[in-house]
Structure formats: C-alpha cells, structure tokens
Amino acid sequence: MTSDDGLIDALVAVVGPANVVIDADVRAAYETDWTRRFHGSARCVVRPADADEVAQVVRLCSPAAAPLVPQGGNTGLVGGGVPRGGEVVVSLRRLDDIAPVDAQHGEVVVGAGAVLSAVRTQARAAGWDVGIDMASRDTATIGGMVSTNAGGVHVLRYGPMRDQVLGVEAVLADGDVVGHIPGLRKDNTGYDLAGLLTGAEGTLAIVTRVHLALVPELPDRVVTLCAFDGFDDVLAVGAALRREIDSLTALEVFFADGLALVCEHTGLHLPFDRSHPAYLLVECGARAGRADLLVDELAGVLGACPQVRATAVATDAAGREHLWAYRDRHTEAINAVGVPHKLDVTLPFDQLVDFRRAVRAHVNAAAPHARVVWFGHVGDGNLHVNILGLPPDDFTVDDDILALVATMGGSISAEHGIGIAKRAALERAAGSTDLAAMTAIKRALDPQGILNPGVLVR
Amino acid sequence: MTSDDGLIDALVAVVGPANVVIDADVRAAYETDWTRRFHGSARCVVRPADADEVAQVVRLCSPAAAPLVPQGGNTGLVGGGVPRGGEVVVSLRRLDDIAPVDAQHGEVVVGAGAVLSAVRTQARAAGWDVGIDMASRDTATIGGMVSTNAGGVHVLRYGPMRDQVLGVEAVLADGDVVGHIPGLRKDNTGYDLAGLLTGAEGTLAIVTRVHLALVPELPDRVVTLCAFDGFDDVLAVGAALRREIDSLTALEVFFADGLALVCEHTGLHLPFDRSHPAYLLVECGARAGRADLLVDELAGVLGACPQVRATAVATDAAGREHLWAYRDRHTEAINAVGVPHKLDVTLPFDQLVDFRRAVRAHVNAAAPHARVVWFGHVGDGNLHVNILGLPPDDFTVDDDILALVATMGGSISAEHGIGIAKRAALERAAGSTDLAAMTAIKRALDPQGILNPGVLVR
C-alpha cells in the first residue's frame, strides 16, 4: 500500500498496513449503515488492536484536526457511526477481548469491540447474563451499545445500557485515556464520567473497554399473550403488572392491524379465535425450577384484571418463541409492505393513549393514504411508530409527530439516539438551555470538534 | 433589616427580608455541618421559595462573581454544604413541595427541599417506597441526596440515588434552568445531564426539582443474622446470596470487636451463645403475604453454605429491629469510646480481605495504640473504617489508607462524596486525565467558579 497522505502513512506506522483500509471496495462495508439511509466516504478506515493504538491514532489525528468517526458493529439506526465524508473511521472491532467472567460477583471486563452475543455466551457459561438483549445481538458491539445507551426488550427489568456499566475506559480527543475500570458498585469520587460517556454517541471520547455488571441468568421463563379491547386497558394492566410482579422481564404492545399484517406475511394463525383491538405480551423470568411460581403469580394478577379478554400462556421454549413471533415479526411484516418511516418515541405513561389518537388524526388528515403500524416496549412508555405510504424523502409528517411528542413532554428518541438523523429535531425539541449545556460539555472535552463531528451536537 | 451591601439588598428584593439571613445567631445553623468539623461564616443565607427565585438569586450573584453554597438538610459529612468563608448560602429547604404520587406508575416529582422521610410517607401511602434509606432520613433533603448521590443500606437492591432519578431541574451558574422533568424511563436525547448533576455536589448547578422513580413497597421483611469464622467466609456467602436471591434488600457486615463494643455500650446481649469473628446481617423484602417464601428461600441458600456457624431469624418488626440494632448502633458505640477517624471506601470484592489485613498491619505499625472498628455495606464492597485512638488533627494514617485504597483499585469515597474533606485525597487518587476531564466540565458549566467553590474540583 502506498499513499500520498502523510496522516495515512503515520496511521500505518501505528496499526500496520493491513489495518489501514484505503481501498474503496473494502471501505464500503464501513461507509454505509444498516438502514442504508446513511453513507459517506471515509478518508480511510483504521483498525487499532487495543486502547493504546486507539490513543496513538487520536494523537495523530488531533494536531491534524482530522475528524474521526468511531464505529462498532455498525448496527446504529440514526447515522451516528458512518462517515459523513472524509473522516477517518476508527473501527473498534479488533478490541474484542473478553476477560474471564467473575462468576462470584457477576461482572466482566470486555473490549469495546466484543459482540453482545459473544459476551452473553461467556456470561451464561458462568450462570450470569447480560441485562440488555436486542435483535442486533450478533453484530452489535459493547462499545457501540455503551455509546448509544442501548435499550431493547429488558429495560423495564434491568434499565438501559447505562445501568449495566460499572466502568468505562475511553480515549479523549487529545489522546489521553480516562477510566475507572475497577468498576465499583459504589464510587462517589467526582462527576460520573462513565455515565456521561454512555449515550454520548462517540462525540466526547472513544470507548475502548467496559466493565459490565451482569444479571443472574433466568432460565425459567413464562410468556403470556393477553388480548384487550383497547390501548387504555393494555396500559392499566401493564401498570398493575409492573406494580405487582418483580419477575417481569418484558411488556410489549401491538395492535390488531399489525398482528393481521404479521399473520398475512408469515402464515402464522391468529393467537385467539377472533381478533382483538390490542395485545400485551408479558414475559417473566426466574431462576431454574421456579416456572410454576411465575405462572401462579401472573395468573393471580391477570385474574384480578377484568380488562383481559383472552390469554395464551407458554412455559416451554417452542411455545414462548411462538408467542414472541407475533411481536418480533412486526418489523419484517411492515418492511414487506413498503419502506416505513420509523419513529422511536417515549411518552409519559398518562399521555400514551392521547398521543396515539392524535397521531392517527394527524396522519389521517395529512396523508390519508398512509397507514400507521404501532408496536413497542410499553413497559417503558416507548412506542415504535411505523408509517407506511409516505413519500420516502418527505419527513413533514415525521417532523409534525416529533413536535407533538415534544409538546406532550415525551422523548423524540427513546433508544436509538440522535446521530445525524434527529439532530435538527433535537434542536427543535430540547430546551435551549439543555442544548447549550451539552454544547459547552462537548467544547470542553473536544475543543477542536474532531470526535464524530455533526453527530448529536453542533 | 438594613445593610450596606448592595447584593444583599437585591437579594431581599427577590426573596423578601425574612428570607435573607444576615443575623449571626440565625446564620449559625447554616454555617456548621453535622460533623462539627466543617464551618465557615456566610455573607448571608438566602432562602428562595421556588426555582424561579433560585434563578433570580443566581442571576444577581453571577455578575457580581459572588460565590454560592447550595445547602439542603445540611447532613453532609465532607464539608460540601457549609460555607468556607464569605459565600452566599442558598438554602433549598423552602422548595419542599411534594406533588401527588403517581400511584399507577410509581413516580413522584418533589422540590429539592423535600425531606426524605416526608417523601417516603407520601410514597408509602400510595403503595410505593423510596429506593434509598439512611439514618438522616428526617433531615436529609432530596436535592442534597441527588447532589451527593446518596447511598445507604439498600443500594445493592435499588442502586444509589442516581438510579432513582428520572429527571432533574437545576439552575446553572448563569441563572438559566436546565431540566427534563417529564422523567421518562427511556430517553436517548443527548448527554445525561441529570446523571451528571447527580453526585456533582452543587458544583455544576443548583438542583431545584427532582422526578423520582419509586420502588414497590415491601412490607414483608425477613432479617437473618449469620455468624462466621472470618471475613472471607462472609464474602463467599454474601456473593452466594447476591447470586441466588432477588429479594435481598441489605447485606451488612460487622465483626466481633465492634459487636462487643455495641453490647458493652447498649446493654444488648450477644446474639449467639458465644462470640464469632464475623457477622453478616441479611435482609430480604417482599410484598405483603410472602414472608414465608422469603424465609424458605433464605434458609435454602444459607443451608447450602457450610461456612455459616449460627443464624438468628426475625420476621416480626420487633425481632428485625433487635437484629438491626447490632449493626445500627455501631456508630454510637464507637463515638462513646472516642472521636474516630472515619473512612468510607469501596474495594473490588476480591480485594476486601487483603485490604482489611493490610490496614490492620499498617495501623499496628504506625499507631500501635489505635483500634480499628469495621462495619459496612458489604453487598456493595463498601466498608466504613473507624479508627479510634489517633490524634484528632493528624490524618497521616488516613492518608496512608486512602493511598492503599487507590493502589488496590478501590474508591476513596464510596458514598459520602469528596466535598472539602477529600479533595486533596482525590487529587492523589484519581487519574490526572479523569481530574482534567472533570475540571474541564466544571469550567464549561461554571466559568466563573461561583458554584460551591473549593468543593470537589479546583
């Protein structure tokens, strides 16, 4: 490999020629994101082997004011992990070391490039589990999950990624390394840098290593699908379950039209003898040998809820997977109809019903041919809004809905983050003081603006 | 009230003459902390009624570069809430509004000055509870608990204060107000300002309102006191309990000499027919009517631990209080002997035994007449080290131990914070890069350095 670019030569000296990618064909996989909506060409892709090499890379780029885009498994949905044009992409995937799991205390230290499913395998072999699970588990990296504060289906039980993080090691914009990797459960020695870097989308530092708190493995799981006359009943019963049952691991909502789409696309039969307006999928988990207790507990609470119209219960793996399929296969069923506009929002619990009604009314008026399919992590107040039949490049309806979310006290990004996609929406939705405070922090830690420029803050 | 101080006149115009305290006798209660180790005279004490008045106070002080010390219930232990000399103390106690508890979802919005026990009373009336409990509950304010990221006995179950916070409203150094008070469970819209302000000890902003996540009330509690031959056995059984039992609410350790001191001072009898080297107090909590399940579960796990030498179980309130007294009354028993030097440290779990041994050896060598009494929240790796018999003003031994903590990968402040007391120790223990990052954040949000100067960072 030869190059007329002095920076590239210097990077090659740090990571070796095989780990500086300038060839356009090889670069391509790093330049386009999973959604195919976001892409840009990279000056090069650098693949350091460890935190020290990451620091050296940053120290070369910093004086040159060469912007950097950190990248993990490239499973982001908002354009935060691919170049906008001309940046050096720093791929963390080679930092995939997984230290031995501390089986006594349920902790593990992993490199930023370790893939979620690989960490989970190691954790489970020691009787523990990772508190986050999501569909991208075989590709998403722990560093990316920290940088985006990943969510998924178990947030109501274990919280988002930030709650799994005991310590973060990261390289700052000047190449210095911060980090409390010992990962203590209690540590009141100054500002929570690990928490600040979690969800910062690579704009304040490049995460290189993470000390994770694990959760006990729960091999016994019970899944119950409940049918309701409406969303308000789903919410009332969801609240009762959250209040009464500690063993809840997931509370997912979907509706008649989405379910019909799933059944049509997949060939699955309706779960009950007739269609119902709304459904709640309830999952509980316990340690081995306690499934019966879970079933009794769940039946006790649901039995006291007159809103429940029908239930289907599964305790075996095949039965659970069957019930989960009604929820999980929404995305593919929607994609089979067309390219949806997707929104990922949280509303205060008491605004969810009004929000859904208002969105429906707005879409009916603004785009009468469009169709809205809803599902989501209702235990967290998090709805995924999928609108089919809108022009691909016209985001007027999306913007209107996000404005409504902000008006109703909601979040315009529940779990996907801001990235490039929602920066303008953030500027409209967030308070100017909050934005100014974030910008001040960004300027303080990255005065040249070389870390993931254009993402999250200006 | 008259004054030749233009700032004071301006403050009076905002909060009224009754709420600007210049009289030395009235000021005194705000100028000395609970430990009596920290005191300084205030320029005045201002008692605003709401966030708007706080913002006006800050807007008056900011251009005058008049330093401010935010104060809640003044129960801090590290000198972070009392003046060093000449500052304006901003007492938040009048911001004690508690909004109606959201009984459906377990949330409440409270003013910074609301006292923990008052919030708890409101929460319990709605079937919920506050996830933090500690001895200062009748005086400590929620704002102070946020600013110090308060801990206490239930951290192993619910995490520290930061984990209870869904949203924070706060006044920045320029008088602008930040805040996401809607308090959403999932919100990935930028840097975690609420998390950053939690534990910032009033150096980045003045917390005015907090959206708290509550936890289900657990009226059925079981307390088991276990005796062991040594600390390593305590740790092994503690780890097994943490691994196997979801209903754990506390895991507290103490030792033979501390227990002897407690019994001597209080007249309590030893809990078992003979003394044992080490004790573990285990508390589990469940919803009403499930105490029997807890007892069985606990007996099952403890029965499989050959290290347990003796156990005492209590399920009724009087019995539980009796067992807790052996742990709770350590502080008063120690204080009755003399004025202890107190350290509040976390060690990685696998370093705890070595740490205790090393401290004992060091104290034996450096101060042969001194006596070390240990207790603590062992479920979090958090030990409170009390050294009796050291000269009151000589902190050489303390500093040596904190240096050892840092060397062993521990935290020099598990839950009390840095304040004034541990700033020099923090500067020795923390990585220079971490300190520089904290200082950069402080400069970015408080460029004049008017918020709690001298606390936490320079």
Side-chain angles (χ1 to χ4, degrees):
Chain A
M1 194 183 74
T2 62
S3 147
D4 56 359
D5 183 329
L7 178 62
I8 289 187
D9 294 341
L11 294 171
V12 166
V14 171
V15 298
N19 292 306
V20 178
V21 179
I22 52 172
D23 182 86
D25 288 346
V26 187
R27 271 185 358 230
Y30 299 88
E31 292 177 332
T32 298
D33 83 333
W34 189 86
T35 69
R36 313 239 154 232
R37 270 182 70 196
F38 301 98
H39 42 80
S41 114
R43 184 166 175 180
C44 66
V45 178
V46 191
R47 299 186 294 206
D50 54 31
D52 183 55
E53 286 190 7
V54 175
Q56 289 186 62
V57 166
V58 174
R59 274 192 213 109
L60 288 172
C61 292
S62 182
L68 297 156
V69 175
Q71 189 181 87
N74 195 11
T75 59
L77 299 171
V78 289
V82 288
R84 272 63 72 190
E87 299 93 341
V88 174
V89 170
V90 183
S91 169
L92 281 305
R93 286 189 228 180
R94 291 178 68 215
L95 282 72
D96 61 354
D97 187 53
I98 304 175
V101 171
D102 179 341
Q104 178 93 323
H105 303 104
E107 300 178 5
V108 65
V109 176
V110 305
V115 167
L116 171 56
S117 59
V119 178
R120 188 169 76 169
T121 301
Q122 296 293 318
R124 288 189 178 172
W128 297 88
D129 208 338
V130 182
I132 303 283
D133 194 22
M134 51 189 200
S136 56
R137 66 184 70 84
D138 293 326
T139 316
T141 61
I142 297 296
M145 292 170 65
V146 168
S147 293
T148 57
N149 189 29
V153 294
H154 298 320
V155 170
L156 90 162
R157 175 71 171 259
Y158 301 117
M161 195 65 184
R162 189 175 285 121
D163 291 355
Q164 325 305 316
V165 170
L166 293 174
V168 164
E169 175 196 79
V171 177
L172 295 175
D174 59 4
D176 280 352
V177 179
V178 288
H180 285 295
I181 271 304
L184 305 163
R185 306 265 164 172
K186 259 188 187 166
D187 185 13
N188 271 351
T189 51
Y191 307 146
D192 182 20
L193 295 178
L196 180 64
L197 298 184
T198 305
E201 303 187 11
T203 62
L204 300 179
I206 302 178
V207 172
T208 51
R209 210 152 54 113
V210 181
H211 193 128
L212 280 179
L214 301 172
V215 300
E217 193 186 6
L218 304 179
D220 271 11
R221 292 190 185 253
V222 176
V223 175
T224 302
L225 183 64
C226 308
F228 296 90
D229 291 344
F231 192 24
D232 47 351
D233 288 346
V234 168
L235 291 169
V237 172
L241 290 163
R242 285 174 53 229
R243 206 166 52 230
E244 302 292 335
I245 299 190
D246 284 335
S247 60
L248 275 188
T249 51
L251 272 185
E252 300 286 313
V253 70
F254 51 87
F255 298 90
D257 47 357
L259 180 64
L261 213 60
V262 166
C263 291
E264 195 181 307
H265 170 71
T266 61
L268 287 170
H269 294 288
L270 279 179
F272 304 110
D273 55 3
R274 68 173 183 87
S275 178
H276 296 265
Y279 300 86
L280 179 64
L281 184 137
V282 185
E283 187 191 69
C284 296
R287 296 184 169 89
R290 298 183 207 182
D292 287 354
L293 273 176
L294 291 185
V295 172
D296 291 351
E297 189 171 50
L298 207 45
V301 176
L302 292 174
C305 292
Q307 304 95 331
V308 179
R309 290 285 160 267
T311 59
V313 182
T315 55
D316 63 306
R320 292 194 305 256
E321 269 172 43
H322 176 75
L323 293 179
W324 263 110
Y326 293 116
R327 158 67 181 85
D328 281 343
R329 300 190 73 178
H330 267 68
T331 300
E332 64 177 270
I334 291 165
N335 289 345
V337 176
V339 178
H341 286 220
K342 285 173 156 309
L343 300 168
D344 159 46
V345 299
T346 307
L347 276 296
F349 288 110
D350 60 7
Q351 300 283 316
L352 282 163
V353 168
D354 286 349
F355 171 69
R356 185 155 171 268
R357 198 176 288 138
V359 168
R360 201 187 280 155
H362 182 76
V363 172
N364 279 345
H369 301 294
R371 171 178 182 185
V372 191
V373 183
W374 304 74
F375 60 91
H377 314 300
V378 73
D380 315 310
N382 176 192
L383 292 176
H384 294 304
V385 188
N386 298 265
I387 314 175
L388 286 159
L390 291 178
D393 294 322
D394 181 351
F395 291 91
T396 317
V397 170
D398 310 54
D399 289 343
D400 292 344
I401 295 175
L402 293 182
L404 178 68
V405 168
T407 308
M408 296 179 89
S411 167
I412 61 162
S413 178
E415 52 182 14
H416 298 166
I418 300 299
I420 295 298
K422 297 186 188 167
R423 210 186 57 183
L426 177 67
E427 286 173 6
R428 288 189 299 270
S432 60
T433 311
D434 287 51
L435 275 180
M438 289 184 210
T439 306
I441 293 168
K442 166 72 174 175
R443 297 269 179 284
L445 294 185
D446 180 18
Q448 289 183 289
I450 63 165
L451 292 177
N452 228 0
V455 165
L456 206 150
V457 288
R458 273 182 208 280
Chain B
M1 195 183 71
T2 62
S3 145
D4 56 359
D5 183 329
L7 177 62
I8 289 186
D9 293 341
L11 293 171
V12 167
V14 171
V15 299
N19 292 305
V20 178
V21 180
I22 50 172
D23 181 87
D25 288 345
V26 186
R27 272 186 357 229
Y30 300 87
E31 292 178 332
T32 297
D33 84 335
W34 188 88
T35 68
R36 312 238 155 235
R37 270 183 67 196
F38 302 98
H39 42 80
S41 112
R43 183 166 174 178
C44 66
V45 178
V46 191
R47 300 187 293 207
D50 54 32
D52 183 54
E53 286 190 6
V54 175
Q56 289 186 62
V57 167
V58 174
R59 274 193 212 106
L60 288 172
C61 292
S62 183
L68 297 155
V69 174
Q71 188 181 88
N74 196 11
T75 59
L77 300 171
V78 289
V82 287
R84 271 65 72 190
E87 299 93 340
V88 174
V89 170
V90 183
S91 169
L92 282 305
R93 286 189 228 181
R94 291 178 67 213
L95 282 73
D96 61 354
D97 187 54
I98 304 175
V101 171
D102 180 341
Q104 178 93 321
H105 303 104
E107 300 177 6
V108 66
V109 176
V110 304
V115 167
L116 171 55
S117 59
V119 178
R120 188 169 77 169
T121 301
Q122 295 293 316
R124 288 189 178 173
W128 297 87
D129 208 338
V130 182
I132 303 284
D133 194 21
M134 51 190 200
S136 56
R137 66 184 70 86
D138 293 326
T139 316
T141 61
I142 297 295
M145 291 170 65
V146 168
S147 292
T148 56
N149 189 31
V153 294
H154 298 321
V155 170
L156 91 163
R157 174 70 170 261
Y158 301 117
M161 195 65 183
R162 190 175 284 120
D163 291 355
Q164 326 304 317
V165 169
L166 293 174
V168 164
E169 175 194 80
V171 177
L172 294 176
D174 59 4
D176 280 353
V177 179
V178 289
H180 286 295
I181 270 303
L184 305 163
R185 306 265 164 172
K186 260 188 188 167
D187 185 13
N188 270 349
T189 52
Y191 307 146
D192 182 20
L193 295 179
L196 180 64
L197 297 185
T198 305
E201 304 187 11
T203 62
L204 300 179
I206 302 179
V207 172
T208 51
R209 210 152 53 112
V210 182
H211 194 127
L212 280 179
L214 300 171
V215 300
E217 193 186 5
L218 304 179
D220 272 10
R221 292 187 186 254
V222 176
V223 174
T224 302
L225 182 64
C226 308
F228 296 90
D229 291 343
F231 192 24
D232 48 350
D233 287 346
V234 168
L235 291 168
V237 172
L241 290 164
R242 286 175 51 229
R243 207 166 50 230
E244 302 291 335
I245 298 190
D246 284 336
S247 61
L248 274 188
T249 51
L251 273 185
E252 300 286 314
V253 70
F254 51 87
F255 298 89
D257 47 356
L259 180 64
L261 213 58
V262 166
C263 291
E264 195 180 307
H265 170 71
T266 62
L268 287 170
H269 293 288
L270 278 180
F272 303 110
D273 54 5
R274 67 174 182 87
S275 178
H276 295 266
Y279 300 87
L280 179 64
L281 184 138
V282 186
E283 187 191 68
C284 296
R287 296 184 169 90
R290 297 183 208 181
D292 287 353
L293 274 175
L294 291 185
V295 172
D296 291 351
E297 189 172 51
L298 208 45
V301 176
L302 292 174
C305 292
Q307 304 95 332
V308 179
R309 290 285 162 266
T311 60
V313 182
T315 56
D316 63 308
R320 292 194 306 256
E321 267 171 44
H322 175 73
L323 293 179
W324 263 111
Y326 292 117
R327 158 68 181 82
D328 280 343
R329 299 189 75 177
H330 266 68
T331 299
E332 63 178 271
I334 291 165
N335 290 344
V337 176
V339 178
H341 286 219
K342 284 172 156 311
L343 300 168
D344 159 47
V345 300
T346 307
L347 276 296
F349 288 111
D350 59 7
Q351 301 283 316
L352 282 163
V353 169
D354 286 349
F355 171 69
R356 186 156 169 268
R357 197 175 291 138
V359 168
R360 200 186 281 155
H362 182 75
V363 172
N364 279 347
H369 301 294
R371 169 178 183 186
V372 191
V373 183
W374 304 75
F375 60 90
H377 315 300
V378 72
D380 315 311
N382 176 191
L383 292 176
H384 294 304
V385 188
N386 297 266
I387 313 175
L388 286 160
L390 290 178
D393 293 323
D394 180 351
F395 292 91
T396 316
V397 170
D398 310 55
D399 289 344
D400 291 344
I401 295 175
L402 293 181
L404 179 69
V405 169
T407 307
M408 296 179 89
S411 167
I412 61 161
S413 177
E415 53 182 13
H416 297 167
I418 300 300
I420 295 297
K422 298 188 188 167
R423 210 185 57 183
L426 177 67
E427 285 172 8
R428 288 190 298 269
S432 60
T433 310
D434 287 52
L435 275 180
M438 290 183 208
T439 305
I441 293 168
K442 166 71 175 177
R443 297 270 180 284
L445 294 184
D446 179 17
Q448 289 183 290
I450 62 165
L451 292 177
N452 227 0
V455 166
L456 187 70
V457 287
R458 273 183 208 278

